[in-house]
Amino acid sequence: MKGAGRFQLLHRSLLFRYLLILVAALLFIPVIVPLTIMLYSIFGGLAHEAPPKEYALYSSVDKLEIMWHEEARKLLDQPPEDITQRLRTLSETYHHARIFWVDHEGRTQLVTEPSGPPLLLDGQAARDIPAYWGAAEAVSFMKDSTALKPLAIVAFVGDQAEAGEGFMVMQIPEEIKNGRYAPGLDKWYSIMMLVFLIVFVVSSWLFFVMIRRRLLRLQTAMVFTGHEGLPQVVPPGKPDEIGRLEEAFNTMVTELKASLAREAEEETLRKRLVADLSHDLRTPLTVIRSHLHVLGKESLSPRGQSSLELMDQRIESLGILIENLLSYNLLSSGRTLLKLEQRDVLRLLRESAAAWYPVWEKEGFEVEIDLEGAPLYWDVDDSWFRRVMDNLFQNILRHARSGLYVGIFTEIRDGSRVIIISDQGGGLEKSSDSAGAGLGLSIVDLLLKRMELEWSMESTGQGTEVVIWKRTS
Amino acid sequence: MSVTVLYVEDDRDIGNAVSADLREREYAVRWLESGEGALEAAEGCQLAILDVMLPGLDGFTVGQRLKRAYPDMPILMLSARTSIDDKLQGLDFADDYLTKPFHPDELAARMEVLLRRSGTAAPAPMMLKHLVVRPGSSVVMEAASGREIMLTGKQFQIFSYLLRHLGQVLTKEQIYEAVWGESYMEGDKTLMVHIRYLREKLELDPAAPEIIETVRGIGYRVRG
């Protein structure tokens, strides 16, 4: 069972298919080529016209050679007429061959022409036999004979050169020797080989195209994320290696979704805890403040009134501190989502300043605002950017009372437009309760970083200047 | 006739203190300790003050139901700003938002603004320097002579918007978008021109305006 399962797995695997193609490629030369040759021989043999029976005489070159040399030996010391007669007799038996002989003086004594297929020399008609043989004719004949087309069997009369009685030759046409094959078979063989090659190339190509397509689909699924910021699940494919990869990818996406859901749940719980804490801390403060207000309506000594005012201020500060503490807790967890949108920050700044203006005015601050000029678009979260401004303005109100000045400007520094918020207070270090400002500024830092903004703060005895600018990539 | 306020607060200490303070300020208060029955209790009320954290139905749910049933009744939410999402959620239907621990005077001031904006409060004519204005109507008169000042449609809309936000500094963008209903383009002089004509009609000395005040670098304000 286990073995069958393994085979099933192997059978479905890409490796198996790839090996199949490789085996096919390896078999292509040692198996396919001989196979095709065999087929070629079979079909070639079938296509071959059966040779006439008289061609059987010429089927064995060795036998012909033996016979020819035997005849030559028998003709030793025979008069030319007998030699001619004997060769003429032989030509009747071997009438498809051309037989001639040349005497010791180089004169051609007899030439019989073949009765069947013509003698061809490399496709051309064979030369005529010269009447007289000199060295040149002999060499020329030898050269023609080396090609063996037509096959030439040469023997000295008497089968020995020393006899000096000349030589005798039998030339057999090529067609008789080799038979005739069906025309165009070579072409079919080439086509068949080409088809094999094309089938191999196409199957390899399809194999890799299929792999590539599936990998690309997987890549697309990984790159394009949905509204949750997670990749989409891919539809299950074949159960091979890529299929298993897709399955693993889908499992990962599912687990990520579950993890996100858990995180969202934790975040909800965290928010609820913070909200409950906030409520539980603020409720008694509200009660105390209400009662302080009631007390303030009673007739109290100036010292009593002053104490009440101080308590009221401290309650307000405590409220802000709780606010900042819980906000910092939420923000530092990094899971609070900021909706970054391109907004005119000068407009947001003007609106924040407008809300704070009556408070500054009441406290006797001189307010100088210069935010004229083209809008300044940054990617910010509207509400949280207002929160940054509120924290900075709150700090001015609480820690720069001595300077009674608020300046809000925009100007160009190092080639970029920046926002400047300044005061002429004694600086944060000299403030009596600068510890509270630290938390507010930590929130400012966290928020501005999340909005990809940079900021700096310079605080001296003459005042504090906060500069905000857009981070350059 | 006094203004009736629906007040939903689960904490008895706060509820008692705030109710007492509001009654001292001559408001009729209907105080509920939960959101149950708020819809029925809101009948005849001119303003609702809701705490967000309530047992059972939370302040947002109660507020949304109240807004559906009484769309003209302003709603003021009381809670922490800690969860800014809550603030946004709250402001979808609520008209204002006040964080605890608030000062009773601040609560009273916000209530007055909301009532004035909804046309419930200050039915009586209001004195603005040398002018008598009747919020909610288009009548603007010179107090001394009783002469009515005629304003054009746009001038009246601008002046009404400033009066509805009496004492608040409003940016040029806020005024323009509220009156014209379209986005303000930086450098657009339309609003400035209308304010100039408005001042020529309303101010004793348009060069030194006392009614419509320019807040340099921000916008305009009509002081209460």
Side-chain angles (χ1 to χ4, degrees), chain A residues 13 19 35 75 101 118 121 130 170 183-184 203 222 235 263 274 286 302 310 319-321 360 377 384 388 396 451:
Chain A
S13 75
L19 282 175
L35 186 71
L75 292 172
W101 81 280
L121 181 66
M170 177 188 272
S203 59
M222 285 176 182
E263 269 188 26
V274 165
T286 311
L310 185 70
I320 293 165
L321 193 65
W360 291 325
Y377 290 105
W384 287 111
V388 169
I396 292 175
M451 289 188 249

Side-chain angles (χ1 to χ4, degrees), chain A residues 292-312:
Chain A
L292 286 179
H293 176 69
V294 174
L295 265 180
K297 288 178 186 168
E298 303 295 321
S299 55
L300 291 173
S301 66
R303 199 173 158 199
Q305 280 293 349
S306 165
S307 292
L308 278 185
E309 277 168 28
L310 185 70
M311 279 192 270
D312 193 64

Side-chain angles (χ1 to χ4, degrees), chain A residues 316-363:
Chain A
E316 192 170 353
S317 300
L318 202 54
I320 293 165
L321 193 65
I322 292 168
E323 176 75 49
N324 282 340
L325 195 65
L326 298 178
S327 292
Y328 186 78
N329 180 280
L330 278 178
L331 284 168
S332 60
S333 72
R335 289 202 289 266
T336 303
L337 278 179
L338 265 64
K339 292 169 191 153
L340 298 186
E341 288 172 322
Q342 208 171 59
R343 296 296 309 266
D344 177 11
V345 287
L346 298 187
R347 177 183 175 147
L348 297 179
L349 201 48
R350 269 194 293 272
E351 286 174 8
S352 284
W356 279 86
Y357 192 87
V359 186
W360 291 325
E361 196 179 40
K362 189 179 160 198
E363 298 293 329

Side-chain angles (χ1 to χ4, degrees), chain B:
Chain B
M1 201 178 88
S2 64
V3 172
T4 308
V5 176
L6 172 69
Y7 177 41
V8 187
E9 169 63 73
D10 62 319
D11 189 281
R12 287 193 177 174
D13 291 334
I14 299 177
N16 277 323
V18 171
S19 300
D21 185 72
L22 292 180
R23 283 188 187 111
E24 269 182 38
R25 294 173 198 263
E26 297 186 347
Y27 288 105
V29 181
R30 288 182 197 166
W31 171 31
L32 300 179
E33 288 184 38
S34 77
E36 315 294 333
L39 272 179
E40 295 74 22
E43 179 74 45
C45 290
Q46 282 81 47
L47 177 78
I49 303 169
L50 304 176
D51 185 31
V52 171
M53 304 281 274
L54 291 172
L57 292 175
D58 67 26
F60 292 125
T61 313
V62 176
Q64 279 160 350
R65 288 182 183 179
L66 282 175
K67 201 68 187 176
R68 271 200 295 274
Y70 308 99
D72 297 329
M73 183 175 70
I75 298 174
L76 195 151
M77 302 297 293
L78 295 177
S79 192
R81 187 189 172 176
T82 305
S83 174
I84 204 142
D85 288 338
D86 287 354
K87 181 179 177 183
L88 291 175
Q89 194 187 346
L91 289 180
D92 275 349
F93 64 87
D95 298 85
D96 203 358
Y97 201 90
L98 192 58
T99 56
K100 289 181 179 176
F102 53 86
H103 195 283
D105 287 347
E106 194 182 353
L107 176 64
R110 301 263 186 143
M111 286 170 65
E112 272 173 41
V113 169
L114 288 178
L115 289 169
R116 194 166 49 235
R117 218 183 285 172
S118 69
T120 308
M126 183 168 62
M127 285 294 292
L128 273 179
K129 303 287 179 187
H130 62 284
L131 298 179
V132 178
V133 290
R134 200 182 292 273
S137 80
S138 58
V139 180
V140 181
M141 288 188 297
E142 275 182 4
S145 63
R147 185 178 65 88
E148 192 177 342
I149 298 169
M150 301 304 289
L151 300 177
T152 65
K154 278 283 178 281
Q155 287 167 356
F156 173 71
Q157 282 177 276
I158 294 168
F159 192 48
S160 296
Y161 187 66
L162 287 166
L163 284 178
R164 276 205 303 278
H165 298 87
L166 203 64
Q168 273 181 263
V169 180
L170 298 168
T171 65
K172 282 181 275 186
E173 292 99 332
Q174 286 171 325
I175 302 169
Y176 186 88
E177 286 169 9
V179 173
W180 274 267
E182 51 192 65
S183 297
Y184 175 77
M185 301 292 287
E186 186 58 38
D188 192 339
K189 304 286 181 204
T190 313
L191 178 67
M192 218 175 69
V193 172
H194 277 80
I195 294 275
R196 196 173 74 219
Y197 289 139
L198 194 54
R199 278 173 173 161
E200 281 171 7
K201 289 184 178 176
L202 300 177
E203 304 283 356
L204 289 174
D205 178 7
E210 288 186 322
I211 309 283
I212 302 173
E213 187 187 341
T214 299
V215 181
R216 209 169 148 262
I218 304 181
Y220 302 96
R221 167 173 68 176
V222 172
R223 273 185 198 268

